[in-house]
């Protein structure tokens, strides 16, 4: 992660231009992106080992801006869905009581936020193309008044683990709670 296209590693190291080339022993190239002062973000490793580079479905790092929004609602939180199902179909994601969280979420697409009851969040993921179930998951816990991002990921070409996984992350940094 860089600042204004420059690598920075503290005062002892002078800034260097970000070339985004993978160095020896690195799994993927670094990401050249800005991280703004007091702005939260999440860096995600996503993609397929055999993914299309032109379509940006190869393995790479992505910076996702957090949405540190809060509300005074005691019984709900907000959830947005981000699709990371590499080389697979777009997905539909439902929460409790078949509450639609995302429809036709393609790779690296993010939905708007939905109001969801607090507590454990169980989600159902289906292929938007066929309606086939891709799994049901306990993704995490919705915190009252917080905005969260539900990451739905997997690699359809990976025969060892072709399924979909999920994780719910709180967009409000612990620093600002």
């Amino acid at each position: 992660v860089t600042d204004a296209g420059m690598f920075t590693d503290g005062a002892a190291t002078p800034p260097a231009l970000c070339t985004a080339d993978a160095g020896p022993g690195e799994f993927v190239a670094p990401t050249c992106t800005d991280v703004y002062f007091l702005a939260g973000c999440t860096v995600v490793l996503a993609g397929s080992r055999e993914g299309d580079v032109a379509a940006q479905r190869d393995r790479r790092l992505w910076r996702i801006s957090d949405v540190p929004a809060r509300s005074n609602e005691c019984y709900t939180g907000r959830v947005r869905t981000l699709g990371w199902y590499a080389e697979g179909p777009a997905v539909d994601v439902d929460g409790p009581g078949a509450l639609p969280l995302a429809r036709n979420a393609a790779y690296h697409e993010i939905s708007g936020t939905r109001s969801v009851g607090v507590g454990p969040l169980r989600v159902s993921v289906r292929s938007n193309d066929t309606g086939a179930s891709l799994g049901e998951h306990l993704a995490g816990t919705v915190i009252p008044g917080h905005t969260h991002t539900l990451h739905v990921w997997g690699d359809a070409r990976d025969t060892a683990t072709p399924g979909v996984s999920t994780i719910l992350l709180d967009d409000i940094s612990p620093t600002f709670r």
Side-chain angles (χ1 to χ4, degrees), residues 6-33:
M6 303 290 289
F7 276 120
T8 56
D9 191 18
T13 306
L17 280 175
C18 178
T19 60
D21 291 329
E26 291 182 330
F27 192 60
V28 296
T31 182
C32 291
T33 185

Side-chain angles (χ1 to χ4, degrees), residues 46-165:
S48 173
R49 202 176 4 213
E50 302 171 16
D52 183 351
V53 174
Q56 297 185 327
R57 290 178 179 246
D58 58 320
R59 281 192 183 156
R60 61 179 58 213
L61 295 171
W62 295 90
R63 180 185 64 84
I64 307 302
S65 295
D66 292 339
V67 182
R70 294 186 202 208
S71 74
N72 293 327
E73 293 289 324
C74 296
Y75 303 107
T76 63
R78 304 288 293 170
V79 174
R80 63 181 178 162
T81 302
L82 182 51
W84 293 116
Y85 190 40
E87 304 301 325
V91 296
D92 294 336
V93 182
D94 291 328
L99 171 70
L101 297 177
R103 291 290 177 262
N104 201 25
Y107 183 78
H108 191 234
E109 284 189 2
I110 195 161
S111 72
T113 62
R114 308 287 188 264
S115 185
V116 176
V118 300
L121 178 64
R122 181 167 288 284
V123 296
S124 171
V125 183
R126 292 181 322 283
S127 165
N128 179 266
D129 294 342
T130 66
S133 174
L134 297 173
E136 291 194 19
H137 306 274
L138 182 58
T141 301
V142 176
I143 300 170
H146 286 215
T147 300
H148 306 75
T149 301
L150 173 65
H151 296 266
V152 179
W153 83 93
D155 183 351
R157 289 190 180 182
D158 185 346
T159 56
T161 57
V164 170
S165 296

